[in-house]
mmCIF file of all heavy atoms in Angstrom:
data_model
loop_
_atom_site.group_PDB
_atom_site.id
_atom_site.type_symbol
_atom_site.label_atom_id
_atom_site.label_comp_id
_atom_site.label_asym_id
_atom_site.label_seq_id
_atom_site.Cartn_x
_atom_site.Cartn_y
_atom_site.Cartn_z
ATOM 1 N N GLY A 186 211.577 92.900 50.732
ATOM 2 C CA GLY A 186 210.941 93.060 52.037
ATOM 3 C C GLY A 186 209.852 92.036 52.305
ATOM 4 O O GLY A 186 209.302 91.977 53.396
ATOM 5 N N LEU A 187 209.550 91.218 51.302
ATOM 6 C CA LEU A 187 208.535 90.161 51.410
ATOM 7 C C LEU A 187 207.191 90.699 51.894
ATOM 8 O O LEU A 187 206.492 90.057 52.681
ATOM 9 C CB LEU A 187 209.016 89.028 52.338
ATOM 10 C CG LEU A 187 210.287 88.302 51.914
ATOM 11 C CD1 LEU A 187 210.673 87.254 52.957
ATOM 12 C CD2 LEU A 187 210.136 87.663 50.546
ATOM 13 N N HIS A 188 206.805 91.868 51.423
ATOM 14 C CA HIS A 188 205.517 92.450 51.815
ATOM 15 C C HIS A 188 204.392 91.557 51.271
ATOM 16 O O HIS A 188 204.214 91.432 50.068
ATOM 17 C CB HIS A 188 205.379 93.870 51.267
ATOM 18 C CG HIS A 188 204.173 94.577 51.763
ATOM 19 N ND1 HIS A 188 204.159 95.222 52.968
ATOM 20 C CD2 HIS A 188 202.940 94.699 51.251
ATOM 21 C CE1 HIS A 188 202.966 95.735 53.162
ATOM 22 N NE2 HIS A 188 202.205 95.433 52.131
ATOM 23 N N GLY A 189 203.679 90.907 52.160
ATOM 24 C CA GLY A 189 202.649 89.952 51.752
ATOM 25 C C GLY A 189 203.227 88.601 51.391
ATOM 26 O O GLY A 189 202.508 87.698 50.995
ATOM 27 N N GLY A 190 204.543 88.451 51.524
ATOM 28 C CA GLY A 190 205.202 87.206 51.170
ATOM 29 C C GLY A 190 205.702 86.469 52.392
ATOM 30 O O GLY A 190 205.260 86.693 53.507
ATOM 31 N N GLY A 191 206.648 85.575 52.177
ATOM 32 C CA GLY A 191 207.196 84.771 53.267
ATOM 33 C C GLY A 191 206.371 83.517 53.469
ATOM 34 O O GLY A 191 205.796 82.970 52.528
ATOM 35 N N TRP A 192 206.342 83.071 54.708
ATOM 36 C CA TRP A 192 205.544 81.888 55.055
ATOM 37 C C TRP A 192 204.111 82.289 55.364
ATOM 38 O O TRP A 192 203.872 83.306 56.019
ATOM 39 C CB TRP A 192 206.098 81.237 56.320
ATOM 40 C CG TRP A 192 207.345 80.452 56.196
ATOM 41 C CD1 TRP A 192 207.780 79.715 55.144
ATOM 42 C CD2 TRP A 192 208.332 80.296 57.216
ATOM 43 N NE1 TRP A 192 208.962 79.100 55.444
ATOM 44 C CE2 TRP A 192 209.320 79.449 56.712
ATOM 45 C CE3 TRP A 192 208.469 80.790 58.512
ATOM 46 C CZ2 TRP A 192 210.434 79.077 57.447
ATOM 47 C CZ3 TRP A 192 209.577 80.435 59.238
ATOM 48 C CH2 TRP A 192 210.550 79.587 58.717
ATOM 49 N N HIS A 193 203.158 81.459 54.954
ATOM 50 C CA HIS A 193 201.751 81.629 55.318
ATOM 51 C C HIS A 193 201.247 80.270 55.772
ATOM 52 O O HIS A 193 201.571 79.250 55.167
ATOM 53 C CB HIS A 193 200.929 82.121 54.126
ATOM 54 C CG HIS A 193 201.266 83.521 53.745
ATOM 55 N ND1 HIS A 193 200.436 84.572 53.984
ATOM 56 C CD2 HIS A 193 202.375 84.041 53.156
ATOM 57 C CE1 HIS A 193 200.999 85.688 53.562
ATOM 58 N NE2 HIS A 193 202.187 85.385 53.052
ATOM 59 N N LEU A 194 200.458 80.267 56.830
ATOM 60 C CA LEU A 194 200.003 79.014 57.428
ATOM 61 C C LEU A 194 198.544 79.155 57.838
ATOM 62 O O LEU A 194 198.163 80.133 58.494
ATOM 63 C CB LEU A 194 200.870 78.708 58.655
ATOM 64 C CG LEU A 194 200.648 77.401 59.384
ATOM 65 C CD1 LEU A 194 201.075 76.224 58.510
ATOM 66 C CD2 LEU A 194 201.451 77.394 60.683
ATOM 67 N N HIS A 195 197.750 78.192 57.421
ATOM 68 C CA HIS A 195 196.333 78.155 57.803
ATOM 69 C C HIS A 195 196.111 76.945 58.695
ATOM 70 O O HIS A 195 196.516 75.834 58.336
ATOM 71 C CB HIS A 195 195.429 78.029 56.574
ATOM 72 C CG HIS A 195 195.451 79.221 55.694
ATOM 73 N ND1 HIS A 195 196.433 79.448 54.762
ATOM 74 C CD2 HIS A 195 194.623 80.281 55.604
ATOM 75 C CE1 HIS A 195 196.202 80.587 54.130
ATOM 76 N NE2 HIS A 195 195.111 81.106 54.629
ATOM 77 N N GLY A 196 195.469 77.161 59.817
ATOM 78 C CA GLY A 196 195.105 76.060 60.702
ATOM 79 C C GLY A 196 193.725 75.540 60.341
ATOM 80 O O GLY A 196 193.080 76.014 59.403
ATOM 81 N N ARG A 197 193.255 74.578 61.127
ATOM 82 C CA ARG A 197 191.904 74.055 60.931
ATOM 83 C C ARG A 197 190.911 75.224 61.031
ATOM 84 O O ARG A 197 190.971 76.004 61.965
ATOM 85 C CB ARG A 197 191.592 73.010 61.994
ATOM 86 C CG ARG A 197 190.272 72.296 61.801
ATOM 87 C CD ARG A 197 190.024 71.277 62.896
ATOM 88 N NE ARG A 197 191.129 70.354 63.064
ATOM 89 C CZ ARG A 197 191.254 69.185 62.425
ATOM 90 N NH1 ARG A 197 190.319 68.822 61.581
ATOM 91 N NH2 ARG A 197 192.279 68.403 62.655
ATOM 92 N N GLY A 198 190.055 75.355 60.025
ATOM 93 C CA GLY A 198 189.090 76.454 60.008
ATOM 94 C C GLY A 198 189.666 77.756 59.458
ATOM 95 O O GLY A 198 188.978 78.758 59.406
ATOM 96 N N GLY A 199 190.932 77.735 59.035
ATOM 97 C CA GLY A 199 191.535 78.941 58.475
ATOM 98 C C GLY A 199 190.872 79.315 57.162
ATOM 99 O O GLY A 199 190.155 78.523 56.550
ATOM 100 N N LYS A 200 191.107 80.554 56.750
ATOM 101 C CA LYS A 200 190.488 80.977 55.492
ATOM 102 C C LYS A 200 191.289 82.109 54.870
ATOM 103 O O LYS A 200 192.047 82.813 55.537
ATOM 104 C CB LYS A 200 189.049 81.445 55.716
ATOM 105 C CG LYS A 200 188.950 82.739 56.525
ATOM 106 C CD LYS A 200 187.520 83.194 56.680
ATOM 107 C CE LYS A 200 187.484 84.455 57.555
ATOM 108 N NZ LYS A 200 186.144 84.923 57.767
ATOM 109 N N LEU A 201 191.100 82.234 53.582
ATOM 110 C CA LEU A 201 191.560 83.380 52.812
ATOM 111 C C LEU A 201 190.510 83.541 51.726
ATOM 112 O O LEU A 201 190.503 82.815 50.737
ATOM 113 C CB LEU A 201 192.956 83.156 52.232
ATOM 114 C CG LEU A 201 193.533 84.317 51.437
ATOM 115 C CD1 LEU A 201 193.599 85.593 52.269
ATOM 116 C CD2 LEU A 201 194.911 83.969 50.907
ATOM 117 N N ASN A 202 189.590 84.470 51.933
ATOM 118 C CA ASN A 202 188.472 84.641 51.011
ATOM 119 C C ASN A 202 188.952 85.071 49.630
ATOM 120 O O ASN A 202 190.058 85.572 49.465
ATOM 121 C CB ASN A 202 187.488 85.676 51.546
ATOM 122 C CG ASN A 202 186.649 85.148 52.685
ATOM 123 O OD1 ASN A 202 186.745 83.984 53.055
ATOM 124 N ND2 ASN A 202 185.835 86.004 53.276
ATOM 125 N N VAL A 203 188.074 84.891 48.669
ATOM 126 C CA VAL A 203 188.351 85.335 47.311
ATOM 127 C C VAL A 203 188.637 86.829 47.358
ATOM 128 O O VAL A 203 187.901 87.595 47.984
ATOM 129 C CB VAL A 203 187.149 85.044 46.387
ATOM 130 C CG1 VAL A 203 187.403 85.577 44.993
ATOM 131 C CG2 VAL A 203 186.852 83.552 46.357
ATOM 132 N N HIS A 204 189.728 87.227 46.716
ATOM 133 C CA HIS A 204 190.100 88.647 46.718
ATOM 134 C C HIS A 204 190.943 88.958 45.488
ATOM 135 O O HIS A 204 191.470 88.052 44.842
ATOM 136 C CB HIS A 204 190.869 89.006 47.996
ATOM 137 C CG HIS A 204 192.189 88.322 48.104
ATOM 138 N ND1 HIS A 204 192.320 87.008 48.507
ATOM 139 C CD2 HIS A 204 193.450 88.744 47.833
ATOM 140 C CE1 HIS A 204 193.594 86.672 48.495
ATOM 141 N NE2 HIS A 204 194.318 87.706 48.077
ATOM 142 N N LEU A 205 191.055 90.218 45.197
ATOM 143 C CA LEU A 205 191.917 90.700 44.125
ATOM 144 C C LEU A 205 193.137 91.301 44.789
ATOM 145 O O LEU A 205 193.017 92.201 45.612
ATOM 146 C CB LEU A 205 191.172 91.747 43.287
ATOM 147 C CG LEU A 205 191.916 92.335 42.100
ATOM 148 C CD1 LEU A 205 192.241 91.255 41.080
ATOM 149 C CD2 LEU A 205 191.063 93.428 41.452
ATOM 150 N N ASP A 206 194.311 90.766 44.482
ATOM 151 C CA ASP A 206 195.535 91.301 45.073
ATOM 152 C C ASP A 206 195.744 92.745 44.635
ATOM 153 O O ASP A 206 195.355 93.129 43.530
ATOM 154 C CB ASP A 206 196.745 90.468 44.647
ATOM 155 C CG ASP A 206 196.868 89.171 45.426
ATOM 156 O OD1 ASP A 206 196.183 89.018 46.443
ATOM 157 O OD2 ASP A 206 197.664 88.316 45.012
ATOM 158 N N TYR A 207 196.356 93.508 45.507
ATOM 159 C CA TYR A 207 196.649 94.898 45.161
ATOM 160 C C TYR A 207 197.704 94.925 44.061
ATOM 161 O O TYR A 207 198.572 94.073 43.978
ATOM 162 C CB TYR A 207 197.092 95.683 46.394
ATOM 163 C CG TYR A 207 198.272 95.117 47.134
ATOM 164 C CD1 TYR A 207 199.566 95.518 46.817
ATOM 165 C CD2 TYR A 207 198.104 94.177 48.158
ATOM 166 C CE1 TYR A 207 200.658 95.006 47.494
ATOM 167 C CE2 TYR A 207 199.198 93.659 48.840
ATOM 168 C CZ TYR A 207 200.467 94.082 48.500
ATOM 169 O OH TYR A 207 201.549 93.564 49.162
ATOM 170 N N SER A 208 197.610 95.909 43.191
ATOM 171 C CA SER A 208 198.508 95.953 42.040
ATOM 172 C C SER A 208 199.688 96.899 42.238
ATOM 173 O O SER A 208 200.664 96.812 41.506
ATOM 174 C CB SER A 208 197.745 96.343 40.779
ATOM 175 O OG SER A 208 197.141 97.601 40.949
ATOM 176 N N LEU A 209 199.622 97.784 43.208
ATOM 177 C CA LEU A 209 200.712 98.720 43.460
ATOM 178 C C LEU A 209 201.302 98.421 44.834
ATOM 179 O O LEU A 209 200.581 98.397 45.830
ATOM 180 C CB LEU A 209 200.193 100.159 43.409
ATOM 181 C CG LEU A 209 201.236 101.261 43.404
ATOM 182 C CD1 LEU A 209 202.082 101.190 42.139
ATOM 183 C CD2 LEU A 209 200.565 102.622 43.497
ATOM 184 N N HIS A 210 202.592 98.165 44.874
ATOM 185 C CA HIS A 210 203.260 97.871 46.136
ATOM 186 C C HIS A 210 203.147 99.092 47.042
ATOM 187 O O HIS A 210 203.504 100.200 46.646
ATOM 188 C CB HIS A 210 204.725 97.509 45.888
ATOM 189 C CG HIS A 210 205.408 96.933 47.076
ATOM 190 N ND1 HIS A 210 205.763 97.689 48.175
ATOM 191 C CD2 HIS A 210 205.793 95.671 47.351
ATOM 192 C CE1 HIS A 210 206.346 96.920 49.068
ATOM 193 N NE2 HIS A 210 206.380 95.679 48.584
ATOM 194 N N PRO A 211 202.644 98.921 48.278
ATOM 195 C CA PRO A 211 202.374 100.079 49.133
ATOM 196 C C PRO A 211 203.620 100.838 49.607
ATOM 197 O O PRO A 211 203.513 102.010 49.956
ATOM 198 C CB PRO A 211 201.627 99.474 50.330
ATOM 199 C CG PRO A 211 201.996 98.042 50.325
ATOM 200 C CD PRO A 211 202.261 97.668 48.898
ATOM 201 N N LYS A 212 204.771 100.202 49.588
ATOM 202 C CA LYS A 212 205.981 100.883 50.052
ATOM 203 C C LYS A 212 206.889 101.289 48.897
ATOM 204 O O LYS A 212 207.476 102.362 48.910
ATOM 205 C CB LYS A 212 206.752 99.998 51.029
ATOM 206 C CG LYS A 212 205.992 99.780 52.327
ATOM 207 C CD LYS A 212 206.774 98.961 53.308
ATOM 208 C CE LYS A 212 205.962 98.805 54.587
ATOM 209 N NZ LYS A 212 206.686 98.045 55.587
ATOM 210 N N LEU A 213 207.022 100.425 47.897
ATOM 211 C CA LEU A 213 207.926 100.699 46.783
ATOM 212 C C LEU A 213 207.267 101.525 45.678
ATOM 213 O O LEU A 213 207.950 102.064 44.816
ATOM 214 C CB LEU A 213 208.454 99.387 46.193
ATOM 215 C CG LEU A 213 209.232 98.486 47.141
ATOM 216 C CD1 LEU A 213 209.590 97.180 46.455
ATOM 217 C CD2 LEU A 213 210.475 99.202 47.642
ATOM 218 N N GLN A 214 205.922 101.556 45.689
ATOM 219 C CA GLN A 214 205.157 102.241 44.645
ATOM 220 C C GLN A 214 205.490 101.708 43.251
ATOM 221 O O GLN A 214 205.465 102.444 42.273
ATOM 222 C CB GLN A 214 205.365 103.763 44.728
ATOM 223 C CG GLN A 214 204.869 104.376 46.029
ATOM 224 C CD GLN A 214 203.393 104.113 46.273
ATOM 225 O OE1 GLN A 214 202.549 104.465 45.463
ATOM 226 N NE2 GLN A 214 203.071 103.479 47.401
ATOM 227 N N LEU A 215 205.800 100.417 43.186
ATOM 228 C CA LEU A 215 206.035 99.739 41.919
ATOM 229 C C LEU A 215 204.859 98.807 41.644
ATOM 230 O O LEU A 215 204.225 98.300 42.574
ATOM 231 C CB LEU A 215 207.321 98.912 41.972
ATOM 232 C CG LEU A 215 208.619 99.695 42.148
ATOM 233 C CD1 LEU A 215 209.789 98.742 42.355
ATOM 234 C CD2 LEU A 215 208.870 100.596 40.938
ATOM 235 N N GLU A 216 204.596 98.561 40.363
ATOM 236 C CA GLU A 216 203.523 97.653 39.983
ATOM 237 C C GLU A 216 203.896 96.223 40.376
ATOM 238 O O GLU A 216 204.995 95.764 40.091
ATOM 239 C CB GLU A 216 203.290 97.731 38.480
ATOM 240 C CG GLU A 216 202.168 96.855 38.007
ATOM 241 C CD GLU A 216 201.970 96.906 36.501
ATOM 242 O OE1 GLU A 216 202.910 97.299 35.780
ATOM 243 O OE2 GLU A 216 200.884 96.527 36.061
ATOM 244 N N ARG A 217 202.978 95.550 41.057
ATOM 245 C CA ARG A 217 203.177 94.139 41.374
ATOM 246 C C ARG A 217 202.763 93.342 40.148
ATOM 247 O O ARG A 217 201.672 93.512 39.645
ATOM 248 C CB ARG A 217 202.336 93.747 42.589
ATOM 249 C CG ARG A 217 202.795 94.440 43.849
ATOM 250 C CD ARG A 217 201.990 94.007 45.067
ATOM 251 N NE ARG A 217 202.247 92.614 45.372
ATOM 252 C CZ ARG A 217 201.297 91.689 45.526
ATOM 253 N NH1 ARG A 217 200.042 91.995 45.409
ATOM 254 N NH2 ARG A 217 201.616 90.444 45.804
ATOM 255 N N ARG A 218 203.623 92.445 39.670
ATOM 256 C CA ARG A 218 203.357 91.721 38.437
ATOM 257 C C ARG A 218 203.063 90.249 38.642
ATOM 258 O O ARG A 218 202.191 89.702 37.986
ATOM 259 C CB ARG A 218 204.552 91.864 37.483
ATOM 260 C CG ARG A 218 204.854 93.277 37.015
ATOM 261 C CD ARG A 218 203.727 93.887 36.169
ATOM 262 N NE ARG A 218 203.303 93.058 35.070
ATOM 263 C CZ ARG A 218 203.817 93.078 33.848
ATOM 264 N NH1 ARG A 218 204.783 93.896 33.549
ATOM 265 N NH2 ARG A 218 203.352 92.273 32.909
ATOM 266 N N LEU A 219 203.835 89.583 39.522
ATOM 267 C CA LEU A 219 203.711 88.133 39.668
ATOM 268 C C LEU A 219 203.649 87.726 41.127
ATOM 269 O O LEU A 219 204.260 88.364 41.985
ATOM 270 C CB LEU A 219 204.913 87.433 39.027
ATOM 271 C CG LEU A 219 205.132 87.622 37.541
ATOM 272 C CD1 LEU A 219 206.461 87.005 37.133
ATOM 273 C CD2 LEU A 219 203.989 87.016 36.742
ATOM 274 N N ASN A 220 202.936 86.655 41.374
ATOM 275 C CA ASN A 220 202.942 85.989 42.674
ATOM 276 C C ASN A 220 203.465 84.577 42.474
ATOM 277 O O ASN A 220 203.214 83.951 41.436
ATOM 278 C CB ASN A 220 201.529 85.890 43.262
ATOM 279 C CG ASN A 220 201.080 87.162 43.920
ATOM 280 O OD1 ASN A 220 201.870 88.034 44.235
ATOM 281 N ND2 ASN A 220 199.786 87.281 44.117
ATOM 282 N N LEU A 221 204.158 84.088 43.494
ATOM 283 C CA LEU A 221 204.620 82.701 43.515
ATOM 284 C C LEU A 221 204.146 82.093 44.827
ATOM 285 O O LEU A 221 204.428 82.626 45.901
ATOM 286 C CB LEU A 221 206.149 82.638 43.441
ATOM 287 C CG LEU A 221 206.799 81.292 43.795
ATOM 288 C CD1 LEU A 221 206.413 80.217 42.787
ATOM 289 C CD2 LEU A 221 208.311 81.435 43.878
ATOM 290 N N ILE A 222 203.410 81.009 44.718
ATOM 291 C CA ILE A 222 202.975 80.243 45.887
ATOM 292 C C ILE A 222 203.549 78.843 45.735
ATOM 293 O O ILE A 222 203.441 78.243 44.659
ATOM 294 C CB ILE A 222 201.435 80.157 45.975
ATOM 295 C CG1 ILE A 222 200.828 81.542 46.169
ATOM 296 C CG2 ILE A 222 201.002 79.207 47.094
ATOM 297 C CD1 ILE A 222 199.302 81.550 46.067
ATOM 298 N N VAL A 223 204.160 78.330 46.805
ATOM 299 C CA VAL A 223 204.636 76.951 46.800
ATOM 300 C C VAL A 223 204.024 76.265 48.018
ATOM 301 O O VAL A 223 204.207 76.715 49.145
ATOM 302 C CB VAL A 223 206.178 76.858 46.870
ATOM 303 C CG1 VAL A 223 206.614 75.400 46.816
ATOM 304 C CG2 VAL A 223 206.828 77.654 45.745
ATOM 305 N N TYR A 224 203.294 75.181 47.789
ATOM 306 C CA TYR A 224 202.665 74.431 48.878
ATOM 307 C C TYR A 224 203.683 73.476 49.489
ATOM 308 O O TYR A 224 204.307 72.691 48.785
ATOM 309 C CB TYR A 224 201.454 73.641 48.366
ATOM 310 C CG TYR A 224 200.364 74.545 47.853
ATOM 311 C CD1 TYR A 224 200.130 74.686 46.490
ATOM 312 C CD2 TYR A 224 199.577 75.276 48.727
ATOM 313 C CE1 TYR A 224 199.137 75.521 46.014
ATOM 314 C CE2 TYR A 224 198.581 76.115 48.269
ATOM 315 C CZ TYR A 224 198.363 76.232 46.911
ATOM 316 O OH TYR A 224 197.385 77.068 46.450
ATOM 317 N N LEU A 225 203.821 73.548 50.808
ATOM 318 C CA LEU A 225 204.810 72.715 51.503
ATOM 319 C C LEU A 225 204.188 71.953 52.661
ATOM 320 O O LEU A 225 204.793 71.811 53.712
ATOM 321 C CB LEU A 225 205.977 73.591 51.984
ATOM 322 C CG LEU A 225 206.836 74.172 50.873
ATOM 323 C CD1 LEU A 225 207.830 75.182 51.428
ATOM 324 C CD2 LEU A 225 207.552 73.066 50.110
ATOM 325 N N THR A 226 202.970 71.467 52.465
ATOM 326 C CA THR A 226 202.300 70.657 53.476
ATOM 327 C C THR A 226 202.133 69.249 52.926
ATOM 328 O O THR A 226 201.234 68.991 52.128
ATOM 329 C CB THR A 226 200.924 71.248 53.840
ATOM 330 O OG1 THR A 226 201.097 72.605 54.246
ATOM 331 C CG2 THR A 226 200.273 70.460 54.961
#
């Protein structure tokens, strides 16, 4: 379902503050283990 996944885009002045990702998937109720980020700019 790509919850929190898919494409993400920041424009000029965009931000994503320091945060701790949630560990339990809110819909599947499964533990989230890994993230994959690929920069394509």
Side-chain angles (χ1 to χ4, degrees):
L187 300 177
H188 187 84
W192 284 327
H193 291 253
L194 184 68
H195 293 82
R197 186 180 307 270
K200 68 178 177 181
L201 181 57
N202 285 357
V203 177
H204 65 281
L205 181 63
D206 282 347
Y207 56 91
S208 59
L209 191 64
H210 192 287
K212 293 182 179 181
L213 300 175
Q214 297 302 302
L215 295 173
E216 182 182 20
R217 294 182 67 233
R218 297 296 308 271
L219 298 173
N220 279 343
L221 166 65
I222 296 172
V223 182
Y224 296 106
L225 292 172
T226 305

